[in-house]
Amino acid sequence: MSNLSTTADDILACTRSLIIAGGYHGFSYADVADVVGIRKPSIHHHFPSKVDLVRTLVARYREEARAGIAHLERNISDPIELLRSYTAYWEACITNASAPFCVCALLASELPVLPEEVALEVRAHFRWLSNWLASVLERGSHEGRLQLVTTPRVEAETFMATVHGAMLSARAYGDPKTFGTILNPLLDRLSARS
Amino acid sequence: MSNLSTTADDILACTRSLIIAGGYHGFSYADVADVVGIRKPSIHHHFPSKVDLVRTLVARYREEARAGIAHLERNISDPIELLRSYTAYWEACITNASAPFCVCALLASELPVLPEEVALEVRAHFRWLSNWLASVLERGSHEGRLQLVTTPRVEAETFMATVHGAMLSARAYGDPKTFGTILNPLLDRLSARS
DNA sequence: GCGAACCTACCTTCTAGTCGGTAGATCGTC
DNA sequence: GACGATCTACCGACTAGAAGGTAGGTTCGC
């Protein structure tokens, strides 16, 4: 067990689900303390300020996202299957309610009132994700495996926007199936009919 | 001037922009009081509680949306032009920064921690908007003016999700043009090539 | 003189964050 | 291997300020 400080991890995990539920201003140290089973000042011991806590959380979230995508890239070469795996991941997260929203997408809606350090990470995530999607779409287009209506860049922005919007609709309808209902036809359209 | 109580309107207008910036938990009565130029308790005179204020705001927002759509329907019959006018409206709001986000879309991201009375209005807005979009798409499809890849229902959900996601991306990139960049190709694709 | 609009003054609860301290593990060093 | 010194994780008690909200009074137009 290379398990340094389980408590800090617990705090981060708890913070993640609280942010997913209600954003930066939707939770307090007291909420975290209650769930983790620790006293409020002990959280300050691990994360001096709320900004520290959330910045660390988002940075770690981004690392996990990079690792997840790298793992997909290692195992899947077909561009359309990459996209399908990506959306399948989110479909699973939403269906089992483990993480029914992207942390960065949720925080992005609060951007104007977010501490700058957190805002920077959130913006960086959007750029990184759309860049990855654009690279996948471009490759798929070149290989003739994907049929794009416009440029890979624009198609990537559309894809990302649709994913985020589908998360929002799934939440608004209280129905996890909404996500797949929106994304599966989109993936089908991207698949080339040769 | 049939102008009953300008102050209440000022409070609502201010609350609207504050909510658009940071959601339900991202503003306080003190913030509203500062902007409107009034003392905090005076807001309670017009809106007894924060829930009252926000519920009223969302209800009025929905009325305006209904009126706006009714106005469009009265002046435009072509389905594709209806959709273009709808997105052009939002493009203008985002570009001039007057209202760079849909109140209900923003509140939807906070749904799990929203007071139930507000949550009900937000959910109702999603259903209403997607129903309108579905009706436009269905008519356009029947008239042969729109080419749908799937059912009007699913296409409407996709359209709405893309609009909301595009608002989010425009905010994340800090670039109003992002909205049009995403929506114009989508509208072009829906236009039937006869 | 009545009611709407607004005020000052106040309350309670919650907020992030601080302070000083303790129990226990780890440490170097003699 | 016994000794203090240091470090980590945590705690209770506390603070200043902000949160939503209340009580009671003033001002002003009808």
Side-chain angles (χ1 to χ4, degrees):
Chain A
M1 299 249 185
S2 61
N3 216 345
L4 331 119
S5 182
T6 311
T7 305
D9 293 339
D10 288 353
I11 292 169
L12 285 169
C14 169
T15 302
R16 179 182 296 213
S17 59
L18 287 171
I19 281 190
I20 287 171
Y24 188 88
H25 296 282
F27 80 101
S28 74
Y29 267 42
D31 297 328
V32 178
D34 280 352
V35 176
V36 177
I38 214 177
R39 299 296 162 156
K40 222 178 32 166
S42 306
I43 303 175
H44 285 284
H45 169 73
H46 295 279
F47 305 96
S49 76
K50 194 178 183 181
V51 176
D52 285 309
L53 171 58
V54 178
R55 198 198 344 93
T56 306
L57 167 67
V58 177
R60 190 161 299 193
Y61 175 80
R62 293 187 57 210
E63 275 172 39
E64 285 174 27
R66 279 191 290 265
I69 295 300
H71 181 257
L72 286 187
E73 294 264 22
R74 242 177 283 119
N75 294 289
I76 302 170
S77 60
D78 184 15
I80 186 71
E81 284 310 313
L82 271 174
L83 297 179
R84 280 194 197 278
S85 297
Y86 171 72
T87 61
Y89 165 79
W90 277 114
E91 196 168 358
C93 287
I94 293 167
T95 302
N96 66 30
S98 61
F101 227 100
C102 165
V103 169
C104 289
L106 204 135
L107 289 174
S109 67
E110 291 182 277
L111 262 177
V113 295
L114 233 43
E116 191 52 32
E117 292 144 283
V118 177
L120 280 170
E121 291 281 347
V122 169
R123 281 191 274 260
H125 179 79
F126 271 73
R127 283 192 300 272
W128 168 81
L129 179 56
S130 78
N131 281 341
W132 175 68
L133 290 169
S135 76
V136 173
L137 289 166
E138 177 153 37
R139 210 178 75 228
S141 176
H142 269 118
E143 293 174 1
R145 289 169 179 275
L146 292 181
Q147 64 185 8
L148 307 189
V149 180
T150 168
T151 64
R153 174 90 256 150
V154 170
E155 203 92 33
E157 298 296 352
T158 305
F159 192 90
M160 184 174 74
T162 310
V163 168
H164 293 153
M167 286 172 180
L168 200 63
S169 293
R171 168 160 286 187
Y173 293 137
D175 178 16
K177 287 197 296 294
T178 303
F179 186 80
T181 302
I182 292 172
L183 271 132
N184 291 332
L186 175 56
L187 290 163
D188 291 343
R189 181 178 68 74
L190 286 168
S191 308
R193 320 245 152 271
S194 53
Chain B
M1 299 249 185
S2 61
N3 216 344
L4 331 119
S5 181
T6 311
T7 306
D9 292 340
D10 288 352
I11 293 168
L12 284 170
C14 169
T15 302
R16 179 182 297 213
S17 60
L18 286 171
I19 281 190
I20 286 171
Y24 188 88
H25 296 283
F27 80 101
S28 73
Y29 267 42
D31 297 328
V32 177
D34 279 352
V35 176
V36 176
I38 213 177
R39 299 297 163 155
K40 217 177 39 162
S42 306
I43 303 175
H44 285 284
H45 171 72
H46 296 278
F47 304 97
S49 77
K50 194 177 182 181
V51 176
D52 284 310
L53 171 58
V54 178
R55 200 201 339 95
T56 306
L57 167 69
V58 177
R60 189 160 301 192
Y61 175 80
R62 293 187 59 210
E63 276 172 38
E64 285 174 27
R66 278 192 291 266
I69 294 300
H71 181 258
L72 286 187
E73 293 263 20
R74 243 177 281 119
N75 294 290
I76 302 169
S77 59
D78 184 14
I80 187 69
E81 284 310 314
L82 270 175
L83 296 179
R84 281 195 196 278
S85 298
Y86 170 73
T87 61
Y89 165 78
W90 277 113
E91 197 168 358
C93 287
I94 293 168
T95 302
N96 65 29
S98 62
F101 226 101
C102 165
V103 169
C104 288
L106 204 134
L107 289 173
S109 68
E110 292 182 277
L111 261 176
V113 296
L114 233 45
E116 191 52 33
E117 290 144 285
V118 177
L120 281 170
E121 291 281 348
V122 170
R123 281 190 275 261
H125 178 80
F126 270 73
R127 282 193 300 272
W128 168 81
L129 179 57
S130 78
N131 281 342
W132 175 69
L133 289 169
S135 76
V136 173
L137 289 165
E138 177 153 35
R139 209 177 77 229
S141 175
H142 269 117
E143 293 172 0
R145 290 168 179 275
L146 293 181
Q147 66 185 6
L148 307 188
V149 180
T150 167
T151 64
R153 174 90 258 150
V154 170
E155 204 92 32
E157 297 296 353
T158 304
F159 192 89
M160 183 174 75
T162 309
V163 168
H164 292 154
M167 287 171 180
L168 201 62
S169 294
R171 167 160 286 186
Y173 293 136
D175 178 14
K177 287 196 295 293
T178 303
F179 186 81
T181 302
I182 291 172
L183 272 133
N184 291 332
L186 176 56
L187 289 163
D188 291 342
R189 179 179 68 75
L190 286 168
S191 307
R193 320 244 150 273
S194 54

